[in-house]
């Protein structure tokens, strides 16, 4: 393994730092590593070893830096006597546009427990650790995320957290700010309210969900389920991706097992220059629990001249169709009637 045991800074502009093939990277004894404008690869990453009085370790990924962790990553607060001073905290911070932390396995944030001690006290107790994702940075976790013993994970403004497995957003210590994006490929639980300004991408939601921000079901695109009720508030947006006609594979489809209450906007996002034509029909929703209300508007890329969306079946069968605009229908009817009249004159002339 590769250990960094003293306070150091790694700030290269180009190239790739490799922790010697299958070796891991361990920061301990007050180490600080900054990855800025370069890439670090390791089989696993441990920020703080967790031994007694080992604290204040830092992994900082800044300004386009990348860390590729092939296995799991552990950010470990440690056992210490003392009080709650910031310098005791071990943490990882990922910030800045194109800064990336890619974890192939699990992400675990925790502090060590001392038998017989009361959780949350400092006499002694595991000093909590922290992770911050912000300002355009992206953290991708192939496995699960766990947060334990008063440690914290903050998905800040402009940050993106992608979880490849299940994620429980009700874990103590998890918070997300305006302008952030949470993407869960497995089952998400514990997120009962998506606050305004937040973006949430999910395949399977367990429990009731109220949306004030942007909810993007599917998996670019995909088939999604809300296993409970769905409330789309007036300031909420439901975003559905479309690149073809097959539900769940070429365009998003959302099933809601409980009652759906709709007030906000439906936003249809066309992928790969996809266009629609007269007569196209898309099965977007399964309203198993029924629907009350309707979307305040249906937004999409401009349709061809003379076409519009027909939502007459959207709140029953969940289907949306492409039809001529009302004015075009009237013109067709007028000219159709004129042709019929001309035929009769010619026939009986």
């Amino acid at each position: 393994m590769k250990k960094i045991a003293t306070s150091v800074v790694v700030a290269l502009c180009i190239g790739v730092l490799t922790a010697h093939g299958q070796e891991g990277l361990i920061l301990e004894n007050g180490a600080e590593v900054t990855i800025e404008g370069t890439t670090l690869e390791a089989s696993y990453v441990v920020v703080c070893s967790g031994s007694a009085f080992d604290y204040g370790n830092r992994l900082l990924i800044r300004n386009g830096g990348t860390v590729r962790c092939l296995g799991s990553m552990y950010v470990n607060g440690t056992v210490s006597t003392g009080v709650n001073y910031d310098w005791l905290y071990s943490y990882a911070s990922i910030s800045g546009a194109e800064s990336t932390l890619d974890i192939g396995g699990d992400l675990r944030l925790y502090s060590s427990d001392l038998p017989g001690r009361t959780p949350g006290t400092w006499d002694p107790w595991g000093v909590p650790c922290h992770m911050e994702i912000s300002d355009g940075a992206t953290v991708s976790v192939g496995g699960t995320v766990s947060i334990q013993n008063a440690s914290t994970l903050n998905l800040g403004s402009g940050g993106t957290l992608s979880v490849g497995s299940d994620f429980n957003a009700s874990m103590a210590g998890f918070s997300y700010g305006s302008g952030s994006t949470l993407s869960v490929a497995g089952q998400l639980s514990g997120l009962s309210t998506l606050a305004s300004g937040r973006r949430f991408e999910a395949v399977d939601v367990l429990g009731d969900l109220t949306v004030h921000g942007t909810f993007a079901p599917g998996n670019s695109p995909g088939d999604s389920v809300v296993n409970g009720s769905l409330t789309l508030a007036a300031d909420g947006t439901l975003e559905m991706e479309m690149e073809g006609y097959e539900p769940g594979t070429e365009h998003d489809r959302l099933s809601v097992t409980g009652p759906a209450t709709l007030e906000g906007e439906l936003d249809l996002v066309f992928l790969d220059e996809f266009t629609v034509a007269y007569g196209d029909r898309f099965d977007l929703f399964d309203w198993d629990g029924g629907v009350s209300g309707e979307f305040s508007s249906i937004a999409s890329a401009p349709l061809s001249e003379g076409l519009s969306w027909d939502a007459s079946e959207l709140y029953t069968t969940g289907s949306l169709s492409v039809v001529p605009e009302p004015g075009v229908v009237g013109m067709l009817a007028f000219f159709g009637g004129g042709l019929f009249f001309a035929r009769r004159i010619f026939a009986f002339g």
Side-chain angles (χ1 to χ4, degrees), residues 229-288:
S229 66
L230 173 66
T231 300
L232 183 67
D235 57 347
T237 298
L238 182 59
E239 182 181 295
M240 306 288 281
E241 293 180 330
M242 308 174 72
E243 62 180 3
Y245 304 98
E246 185 64 29
T249 57
E250 295 183 327
H251 68 75
D252 286 335
R253 179 173 60 186
L254 175 64
S255 298
V256 183
T257 63
T261 303
L262 306 175
E263 293 184 73
E265 180 182 81
L266 174 62
D267 186 11
L268 305 175
V269 177
F270 294 167
L271 304 178
D272 299 327
E273 300 182 353
F274 177 66
T275 58
V276 300
Y278 169 60
D280 286 350
R281 179 186 177 92
F282 302 92
D283 296 321
L284 298 177
F285 303 103
D286 288 327
W287 308 113
D288 296 336

Side-chain angles (χ1 to χ4, degrees), residues 29-30 48-57 78-82 87-88 124 127:
N29 299 328
C48 183
S49 66
S51 59
F53 301 100
D54 179 11
Y55 42 74
N57 300 280
T78 186
V79 176
S80 172
T81 58
W87 58 269
L88 290 173
V127 177

Side-chain angles (χ1 to χ4, degrees), residues 86-178:
D86 289 344
W87 58 269
L88 290 173
Y89 282 63
S90 290
Y91 65 81
S93 175
I94 306 91
S95 66
E98 299 183 1
S99 297
T100 303
L101 170 60
D102 187 3
I103 303 170
D106 300 330
L107 171 64
R108 185 182 178 196
L109 290 81
Y110 66 104
S111 56
S112 302
D113 191 357
L114 287 182
R117 298 294 180 177
T118 303
T121 68
W122 295 86
D123 185 29
W125 179 245
V127 177
C129 59
H130 177 67
M131 177 178 281
E132 177 84 21
I133 310 164
S134 61
D135 299 329
T138 298
V139 172
S140 176
V141 182
T144 61
V145 176
S146 62
I147 309 167
Q148 299 172 316
N149 294 352
S151 296
T152 54
L153 170 60
N154 180 37
L155 181 57
S157 178
T160 298
L161 172 63
S162 298
V163 183
S165 185
D166 299 344
F167 181 68
N168 183 359
S170 66
M171 283 186 294
F174 175 71
S175 61
Y176 63 109
S178 179

Side-chain angles (χ1 to χ4, degrees), residues 3-9 25-34 46-48 54-60 89-91:
K3 291 189 177 183
I4 299 179
T6 56
S7 184
V8 298
V9 174
L25 175 68
I26 295 180
L27 281 66
E28 60 182 0
N29 299 328
E32 179 175 306
V33 172
T34 300
V46 179
V47 180
C48 183
D54 179 11
Y55 42 74
N57 300 280
R58 315 275 195 254
L59 176 61
L60 311 176
Y89 282 63
S90 290
Y91 65 81

Side-chain angles (χ1 to χ4, degrees), residues 29-47:
N29 299 328
E32 179 175 306
V33 172
T34 300
I35 307 297
E36 185 171 0
T38 190
T39 298
L40 171 69
E41 296 179 343
S43 60
Y44 62 88
V45 175
V46 179
V47 180

